[in-house]
Amino acid sequence: MATGDTFVQRSLRRAYRLALEPGRRERIHNWMEFRRAQAEDRRMEANYEILQAEIRAEAIELRSHPSTLYIDPATSCNLRCPFCPTGGGYTEIKAEILKPEGFEKIVSNIDVELLRWVCLYNWGEPLLNKHLPEYIPYFADRRKPTAI
């Protein structure tokens, strides 16, 4: 090392050398991803605490974001179960399939990072939607548990 090196220069040189070690980049990347995920989890939990306080206080104006998202990929069903409002035809909900444009519009208007989990079903049979395999990875890439 040169005699005039500062602590910062030595540290940067060492960090660069370590980054070039085999497998080191992956470990650094994994560590950074882990830290990012921890920060997201803290933000999500803080939002959930605010939400719970607003529910207890019966607040009219909310500062929190939703913690659960229900998206119905299909409001129709191919079964005719007599006890089911959708299959039995007892509901006035129009039978539709959620198109990718509608899905993009929904998810662009919420903060997905604050969701605890996502439900891709409600009144209809979600597997009737041929675009469903496109919707699941959207949430999986953001580490959100998704139920069908």
Side-chain angles (χ1 to χ4, degrees), residues 31-49:
W31 175 251
M32 291 171 62
E33 280 296 310
F34 173 73
R35 297 297 294 192
R36 184 188 61 76
Q38 277 186 325
E40 283 179 11
D41 288 347
R42 284 192 298 272
R43 188 170 165 243
M44 181 178 60
E45 289 304 319
N47 176 66
Y48 188 71
E49 291 299 320

Side-chain angles (χ1 to χ4, degrees), residues 24-120:
R24 184 72 174 196
R25 274 198 181 134
E26 290 78 22
R27 290 194 301 272
I28 290 171
H29 176 74
N30 291 343
W31 175 251
M32 291 171 62
E33 280 296 310
F34 173 73
R35 297 297 294 192
R36 184 188 61 76
Q38 277 186 325
E40 283 179 11
D41 288 347
R42 284 192 298 272
R43 188 170 165 243
M44 181 178 60
E45 289 304 319
N47 176 66
Y48 188 71
E49 291 299 320
I50 293 170
L51 176 65
Q52 293 300 314
E54 289 173 342
I55 290 171
R56 284 191 299 274
E58 298 178 4
I60 295 173
E61 290 187 26
L62 306 178
R63 296 178 309 138
S64 62
H65 295 269
S67 64
T68 305
L69 176 65
Y70 280 85
I71 296 179
D72 209 351
T75 56
S76 61
C77 183
N78 54 351
L79 300 176
R80 299 289 176 247
C81 303
F83 55 85
C84 177
T86 303
Y90 310 131
T91 181
E92 295 180 15
I93 297 174
K94 183 180 171 188
E96 294 181 297
I97 300 292
L98 181 64
K99 296 189 174 31
E101 304 84 45
F103 178 79
E104 289 295 325
K105 191 172 184 180
I106 291 168
V107 296
S108 68
N109 285 308
I110 59 167
D111 191 351
V112 176
E113 302 306 326
L114 294 176
L115 294 174
R116 294 174 75 113
W117 67 293
V118 178
C119 254
L120 289 176

Side-chain angles (χ1 to χ4, degrees), residues 120-138:
L120 289 176
Y121 67 88
N122 199 12
W123 286 96
E125 172 54 53
L127 299 176
L128 293 177
N129 190 331
K130 66 179 180 181
H131 303 290
L132 188 64
E134 300 168 21
Y135 304 157
I136 297 168
Y138 180 85

